[in-house]
Amino acid sequence: MGLTSQSLEIAMITLAVACVVLTVWRWPRLSGRGVLPVLGRIGSILVTQVAVLCSLALAVNSSFEFYSSWDELLGNTDDAPVAVNKGGGPRYADARSLRGGLVQPAGPQGLDRVTGLPQGAPSEAGKVESVRIVGRRTRVVNPAFVYLPPQYFQHQYRRQRFPVSVVISGYPGGIMNLAQHLRIPQTAGELIEAGRMQPTVLVMVRPTIAPPRDTECVDVPGGPQAETFFTQDLPEAVKAAYRVGHDPSAWGAFGYSSGGTCSLLLALRNPGVYTSAVSLSGDYAVKDDLTTGNLFGGGAAAARREREHDLLWRLARLHVPRVSALVASSRLGEPNYRDTLRFIQAAKPPMTVDSIILPRGSHQFSTWRREVAPALEWQGRQLTFPQDVESAHAPPKRPGAGATPSAVPGPGSSQRLRPSP
């Protein structure tokens, strides 16, 4: 049974309950003063507590997905291809993890516990796939869910490449939070069916590529190359496996909490990969802490790397790319409110920034669920669709082409969006 499987969780809870019942039932027989009764009491208490703790740990892990497999828990990570510099260019070993391609089918990864997912024919309801993404350069194998809209399977769209939104969870949560608590694929399906969002492929991933370390979408000197994974490995893998747009105008990043920070960083630092970003309660600078370790290395270069991951510093001192961003916060309850206002004020053409500002809302799923629908709808208007499969490198249409008609703010403007009720 998989680490996140529902059957394992039920079995462990059943075992814990059985241990409690047996301990209560047998306790009178273990009340003697001899060595064996004492050992029996100690053994009963230890076994019962271990069973209860294991059941609680499995429940917490299933909800927040700290570890998605036994190998990950035990540190037996899958080895992706190893780069060999030879003959002027990189080559890759014929490693086991590459044999199935860069996007490989995976077990449920908890998807079997999520309600409201597409049911029936994919051409009518869409589909959510549980996969793992293999990073050719970073030697990373990362779990993911991929939502494919109904149009992806319909005959009239067979020559069209679809826009992509890379949806990034917060830390330490995982992809289960995106499907179970935020209901990202379910909400996208409802919006697409209602004509409020253009058909879009959603790639749901977690922000860390080296759990339990929080890599914050940063290329760590001598360590995990998270930015490279999100800007090179993931797009390469998704483009190879799915019928999605090849032009940056078809790609956007979307996230909450640390995933929102990642989204903004990816777009501002890599506008040739992502042209729009959604940040729900994200921060505007990356700092070292107990979960991240040293992200920027040492020496004089470390301070420069840290500054370059400060978004307010970038907007004030570096060239501002032509990207669009949506930021969300709350006047009361969110610690990032003041920095959100500073970010909005610091944006300048050709960048555009819109916002969702709630009167009240704390850093939790109930707040983000209110923001998900308008945020998905907003990003759908930023992404180019369609792109023809036979002319993937043709000049792209303007952002938002093919989307539901809506007012698009001009360069440097800031527009307020209404959250879901």
Side-chain angles (χ1 to χ4, degrees):
M1 288 184 286
L3 181 61
T4 61
S5 68
Q6 189 174 23
S7 56
L8 177 62
E9 189 176 342
I10 292 173
M12 200 67 234
I13 292 173
T14 302
L15 178 61
V17 172
C19 287
V20 171
V21 172
L22 286 173
T23 298
V24 172
W25 182 46
R26 301 287 296 181
W27 196 259
R29 298 191 180 186
L30 301 175
S31 59
R33 294 179 177 274
V35 174
L36 292 179
V38 170
L39 291 177
R41 292 196 294 271
I42 293 174
S44 297
I45 293 172
L46 289 177
V47 170
T48 300
Q49 288 193 347
V50 168
V52 171
L53 288 175
C54 286
S55 63
L56 289 174
L58 283 172
V60 171
N61 185 68
S62 295
S63 179
F64 294 100
E65 201 176 293
F66 298 104
Y67 302 96
S68 61
S69 67
W70 290 107
D71 284 337
E72 196 171 279
L73 175 65
L74 299 173
N76 301 323
T77 54
D78 201 349
D79 291 328
V82 177
V84 179
N85 293 320
K86 185 177 180 180
R91 298 184 181 182
Y92 303 96
D94 185 17
R96 172 169 55 90
S97 59
L98 189 59
R99 292 174 185 169
L102 298 178
V103 176
Q104 304 172 2
Q109 301 184 125
L111 199 61
D112 53 343
R113 301 196 306 274
V114 179
T115 60
L117 294 177
Q119 301 291 331
S123 60
E124 297 178 0
K127 183 181 181 182
V128 179
E129 297 184 343
S130 177
V131 301
R132 61 179 192 167
I133 297 175
V134 180
R136 188 188 295 275
R137 300 163 187 80
T138 55
R139 300 182 295 172
V140 165
V141 179
N142 227 20
F145 296 148
V146 178
Y147 167 77
L148 302 171
Q151 291 80 1
Y152 187 90
F153 304 95
Q154 295 172 4
H155 182 73
Q156 63 267 35
Y157 290 92
R158 68 191 182 281
R159 292 182 54 197
Q160 305 302 333
R161 294 186 182 275
F162 288 77
V164 181
S165 178
V166 177
V167 186
I168 308 170
S169 70
Y171 177 87
I175 54 178
M176 268 292 289
N177 288 345
L178 297 170
Q180 186 174 40
H181 297 303
L182 284 194
R183 299 178 61 80
I184 293 289
Q186 300 92 319
T187 305
E190 294 167 0
L191 291 173
I192 292 170
E193 184 178 9
R196 295 168 53 193
M197 178 181 175
Q198 64 179 334
T200 303
V201 172
L202 306 180
V203 181
M204 291 162 272
V205 290
R206 61 191 180 188
T208 178
I209 65 168
R213 184 179 184 181
D214 182 9
T215 49
E216 289 280 353
C217 295
V218 173
D219 278 351
V220 181
Q225 303 294 288
E227 185 174 15
T228 297
F229 175 81
F230 279 99
T231 59
Q232 298 184 52
D233 285 344
L234 186 148
E236 176 190 37
V238 173
K239 290 174 185 177
Y242 297 100
R243 206 169 67 253
V244 298
H246 284 198
D247 192 87
S249 63
W251 283 72
F254 184 117
Y256 71 89
S257 191
S258 58
T261 306
C262 282
S263 297
L264 292 174
L265 281 169
L266 292 173
L268 284 168
R269 289 175 55 85
N270 302 275
V273 181
Y274 298 96
T275 55
S276 75
V278 171
S279 174
L280 309 182
S281 304
D283 293 325
Y284 299 93
V286 175
K287 302 290 185 181
D288 289 345
D289 59 31
L290 292 177
T291 64
T292 65
N294 185 350
L295 291 174
F296 304 109
R304 174 182 56 80
R305 294 191 191 100
E306 185 171 355
R307 285 195 305 270
E308 291 174 352
H309 287 80
D310 184 325
L311 297 177
L312 294 174
W313 182 90
R314 294 186 68 89
L315 290 177
R317 293 172 175 81
L318 301 182
H319 170 72
V320 177
R322 185 180 295 277
V323 297
S324 56
L326 172 66
V327 293
S329 187
S330 304
R331 292 187 183 90
L332 295 177
E334 277 285 12
N336 77 333
Y337 174 63
R338 293 187 182 278
D339 282 342
T340 297
L341 296 184
R342 294 190 186 101
F343 181 82
I344 294 171
Q345 294 166 358
K348 52 193 174 185
M351 179 182 180
T352 63
V353 178
D354 297 333
S355 64
I356 298 174
I357 304 296
L358 299 178
R360 183 185 300 272
S362 55
H363 201 79
Q364 60 178 322
F365 290 113
S366 61
T367 300
W368 301 322
R369 278 196 296 268
R370 297 181 61 194
E371 300 164 344
V372 161
L376 284 172
E377 191 175 350
W378 176 90
Q379 186 156 73
R381 294 197 297 268
Q382 316 306 312
L383 305 178
T384 300
F385 176 71
Q387 292 183 4
D388 196 290
V389 295
E390 296 180 359
S391 57
H393 301 289
K397 298 181 181 180
R398 63 175 178 82
T404 303
S406 178
V408 178
S413 66
S414 177
Q415 175 179 312
R416 291 283 180 89
L417 301 182
R418 297 182 63 186
S420 297

